[in-house]
Amino acid sequence: MEESLQIQRLEEAPSARDFESRIESTNVPAVFNGCVKDWKAFSKWNPSNGGLDYLQERVGLCVVEAMLSSSAPVFYGDLRSHERVPLPFSAFIGLCKQRMRHSEDGSGACFESEQRGLLEPVSEYDREPYEDAPQQIYLAQVPIMNTENEERVQLESLREDIQTPVFLEDKVLASTNLWMNNAQARSSTHYDPHHNLLCIVSGCKQVVLWPPSASAMLYPMPIYGEASNHSSIPLENPDFSNYPRAQCLMEYSQKVILHAGDALFIPEGWFHQVDSDDLTIAVNFWWRSNIVSNMSEHMDAYYLRIILRRLTDKEMKNFPRTLEALILHLLSPVGAEVLTCKFEEMDQQITEEDRNRFYQVFYGAFDDQFAAMDAILNGKELFALQVGGYSIMFVRKNWVGDDSERKMFTGSPSV
């Protein structure tokens, strides 16, 4: 891990000016010890001091959206791994109270009432989806404030118990959210498109972080999916045969432990995995970074060229993964046609030795060089079908050729 990316831990909260100039501008995480201990929530929400009764009385029968996971204690961001269910906030607090009694009792089995849930259904058809799995529920990102969707704010009544840290007072906040679990929980590894300040009100969280430059080793989900900001690797049980680059992950990671009163600044784009102890309560603030806020749409093409140039000039170890993503996930039929036409033009202008060397380097950038070749060929064939001017057999025969030519393109025998 580069020294410039090392996470700071500060004993005093900085001023707004110092935070922006010395911390936020570096896009490196920082921990602020005890910076939220003066919140009303720090004392009033404390489960060991009647905090659950306070929350139940304050929020009442407000219905919140809870995350119900089939893979608990891990909560994956992919919608296929969890569902959002409506849940009375008071019902969730009741489950937390049962969890506390279970911990204090020290018995090895859950209470029968906890297994059944809080309500006694008249029949099996009246059961709520959370009643058989109280430990699989997580209140994740429940809005206390949301500037983009005020109608969705579910816990606005808790807003006066928290205060925006002084170093965020000049920021235009997008949202403030409650995170609360009644049993141990782990988030899947992901990044956020906003700057994030994670504040621990009660309990303890462990956060493992990776810089954006480690993205290739985390195998992000395809950018066209609904969980594109999540890693596809189950870090609790990684399969290195399918994710070989992940073997280097821990070399690029940093771990921080957050106790009640602490806060962690997580810059946009930093991957993080969060482990929460039993009955942990947290609040987070999201705001757009200056980079995103000041980026004009008409500059996108220019910035893309600059980024790709930097990848090729300064970070060649990352460029193959970028190339892989562009070819396997983003290459359109027209793009495949243009690319192969450029290849053909080049073939006519260089020697056979140089041509072989080029294709060895090009396809050697991929984990599976034949998958890359197939992606290009399929795109070219689809282009031919769309324009109606070529036959598929003609395209394959003239561009791929026989086994000797296929070997020339890849530097390896055909399969």
Side-chain angles (χ1 to χ4, degrees), residues 252-296:
Y252 292 83
S253 69
Q254 297 183 71
K255 182 192 298 183
V256 297
I257 305 295
L258 303 174
H259 298 282
D262 295 341
L264 169 66
F265 167 55
I266 307 176
E268 64 171 358
W270 276 71
F271 280 87
H272 50 283
Q273 181 186 60
V274 183
D275 287 295
S276 302
D277 281 353
D278 282 355
L279 201 47
T280 299
I281 307 175
V283 170
N284 90 296
F285 301 88
W286 269 322
W287 71 98
R288 298 182 70 190
S289 71
N290 290 335
I291 295 175
V292 174
S293 299
N294 297 329
M295 186 179 291
S296 301

Side-chain angles (χ1 to χ4, degrees), residues 36 39-40 77 80 91 145 158 162 201 256 272 284 292 314 386 390 397 402:
V36 300
W39 286 7
K40 293 180 181 178
R80 290 168 294 186
M145 183 279 291
L158 297 179
I162 64 177
V201 178
V256 297
H272 50 283
N284 90 296
V292 174
K314 299 180 181 180
Q386 289 175 348
Y390 304 90
K397 182 177 184 300
D402 57 20

